[in-house]
Amino acid sequence: QVQLVESGGGLVQPGGSLRLSCAASGSIFNIYAMRWYRQAPGKQRELVAAITSGGSTNLADSVKGRFTISRDNAKNTVYLQMNSLKPEDTAVYYCNADLVSSGWSRNNYWGQGTQVTVSS
């Protein structure tokens, strides 16, 4: 019954900005980590950013200095602020989380994805 729902994707011009949101819903007792992945057509899915319950963050080298990951624990929501967007950032962005739900076991969950297109 846990769901991750992404929002905020869309079409932007190179150099523009977008903020993605991912809200986790259901019976959630502890979120260990939340992540953003992306996948372009014909390419391997890659990790973009991650944040732990303790606040530690990790960013892929390709987005350092441009993207920022943050969280709102009270809302079980993670954000990805994307600045200085490039055409190479075009992909479907997926939210991912390690969490404990009402089943009292730690599991991994995926959102449905949101499309980000960077084009003039």
Side-chain angles (χ1 to χ4, degrees), residues 7 25 45 60 72 90 112 114:
S7 62
S25 62
R45 183 178 61 193
D72 185 338
T90 296
Q112 81 286 352
T114 184

Side-chain angles (χ1 to χ4, degrees), residues 18-34:
L18 282 175
R19 190 183 75 158
L20 305 183
S21 300
C22 172
S25 62
S27 298
I28 300 170
F29 297 103
N30 191 24
I31 299 179
Y32 288 94
M34 300 190 79

Side-chain angles (χ1 to χ4, degrees), residues 39-111:
Q39 187 168 23
K43 297 183 179 180
Q44 191 79 0
R45 183 178 61 193
E46 64 175 338
L47 178 65
V48 177
I51 187 166
T52 69
S53 60
S56 298
T57 61
N58 181 266
L59 294 170
D61 289 340
S62 60
V63 304
K64 286 182 179 177
R66 300 188 298 121
F67 291 11
T68 303
I69 187 169
S70 61
R71 60 178 180 163
D72 185 338
N73 289 336
K75 297 181 178 180
N76 289 332
T77 299
V78 64
Y79 305 95
L80 185 67
Q81 179 66 47
M82 306 185 294
N83 299 323
S84 301
L85 283 162
K86 305 175 181 179
E88 306 93 273
D89 297 317
T90 296
V92 177
Y93 284 70
Y94 295 93
C95 181
N96 173 269
D98 291 334
L99 58 85
V100 175
S101 68
S102 59
W104 300 106
S105 62
R106 181 174 175 174
N107 293 110
N108 187 260
Y109 298 87
W110 290 91

